[in-house]
Amino acid sequence: MIGVLLVDDDALVRAGLRLMLASAPDIDVVAEAADGTEVEALVDKHRPDLVLMDIRMPGLDGLEATRLLRARPDAPEVVMLTTFTTDDYVLRALQAGAAGFLLKHTRPERIIEAVRAAAAGEPVMSPEALSLLISTVTTTGEGAPPETPARWTPEAHEPLSLLGDRELEVALAVSRGRTNAEIARDLYMSVPTVKSHISHILAKLDLNNRVQIALLVYRAGRV
């Protein structure tokens, strides 16, 4: 079973999500919270595999709650619930360690698929959506010379140089939204080997999840 913690200050949203997820035989909503201040205690008590976290909440918002949670050892994955209208929120959530994003009006079957994917460490957005997201949130071009693409930043190249050749190939595949099985097929390696490479990449680059790998690759102008 995939244990899920729902965090949203709107009781109706939580009720809708609980009802939606209850239709999946392999998903169990283990607890609910109305504020980010409740998250860590509920994670300690229920040990969920995944947290569905609203971005805007009174008290402690989802961004700070995600940052605090993902800084802990063995933290569950976090998927942000958002209206996707504020680019700054999206970027800050990525930096905080969120594994992906779901619109609150996403189709029920898609939310169930996304929960399963995120709990397994896979991206929860299509490659097209991921590309659009990262392209949108990196258009500020922080530190980029005027003649370079807006998303380019010089700081992004140095971390990538720490990766071995195969690790870099895996990182590039991750940035294109490929699943572990697709990467294994395309690069002629086993799925456990892909998972091992991703773990090494995260450790070497001090990142939380594969969305942050993709963001770094995009900022380096490699996709």
Side-chain angles (χ1 to χ4, degrees), residues 139-161:
T139 52
T140 55
E142 300 170 12
E147 67 275 11
T148 61
R151 70 185 181 201
W152 183 92
T153 62
E155 296 83 2
H157 287 270
E158 185 176 350
L160 291 182
S161 69

Side-chain angles (χ1 to χ4, degrees), residues 6 20-21 24 50 83 92 100 105 107 112 138 148 162 170 190 201 203 205 209 219:
L6 299 178
M20 186 185 305
L21 296 175
L50 179 77
T83 56
R92 289 165 59 195
H105 60 266
R107 299 191 318 273
I112 291 172
T138 58
T148 61
L162 300 175
V170 171
S190 68
I201 292 167
L205 304 185
N209 54 55
R219 281 187 158 176

Side-chain angles (χ1 to χ4, degrees), residues 31-190:
E32 298 180 14
D35 189 278
T37 57
E38 305 172 52
V39 170
E40 291 196 84
L42 288 173
V43 166
D44 287 337
K45 181 177 180 179
H46 298 281
R47 300 293 178 184
D49 302 293
L50 179 77
V51 179
L52 288 179
M53 182 96 71
D54 188 18
I55 288 183
R56 294 186 178 183
M57 292 181 291
L60 189 69
D61 67 20
L63 296 171
E64 182 63 12
T66 298
R67 185 188 67 79
L68 293 172
L69 187 58
R70 292 297 298 171
R72 297 162 43 125
D74 301 320
E77 296 290 349
V78 178
V79 174
M80 306 303 296
L81 294 165
T82 176
T83 56
F84 207 70
T85 56
T86 307
D87 293 346
D88 180 56
Y89 275 132
V90 175
L91 177 56
R92 289 165 59 195
L94 283 173
Q95 294 170 334
F101 299 87
L102 290 176
L103 299 178
K104 289 187 177 181
H105 60 266
T106 299
R107 299 191 318 273
E109 62 272 19
R110 173 57 184 142
I111 289 182
I112 291 172
E113 291 171 1
V115 167
R116 290 170 176 155
E122 300 283 359
V124 299
M125 293 177 287
S126 68
E128 295 79 11
L130 182 59
S131 297
L132 177 61
L133 167 65
I134 296 175
S135 175
T136 299
V137 301
T138 58
T139 52
T140 55
E142 300 170 12
E147 67 275 11
T148 61
R151 70 185 181 201
W152 183 92
T153 62
E155 296 83 2
H157 287 270
E158 185 176 350
L160 291 182
S161 69
L162 300 175
L163 302 180
D165 291 342
R166 292 298 265 174
E167 289 171 341
L168 183 57
E169 287 179 327
V170 171
L172 293 175
V174 167
S175 74
R176 299 184 184 101
R178 300 292 193 267
T179 66
N180 289 344
E182 290 169 339
I183 296 172
R185 180 198 64 207
D186 294 344
L187 298 182
Y188 303 101
M189 60 179 69
S190 68

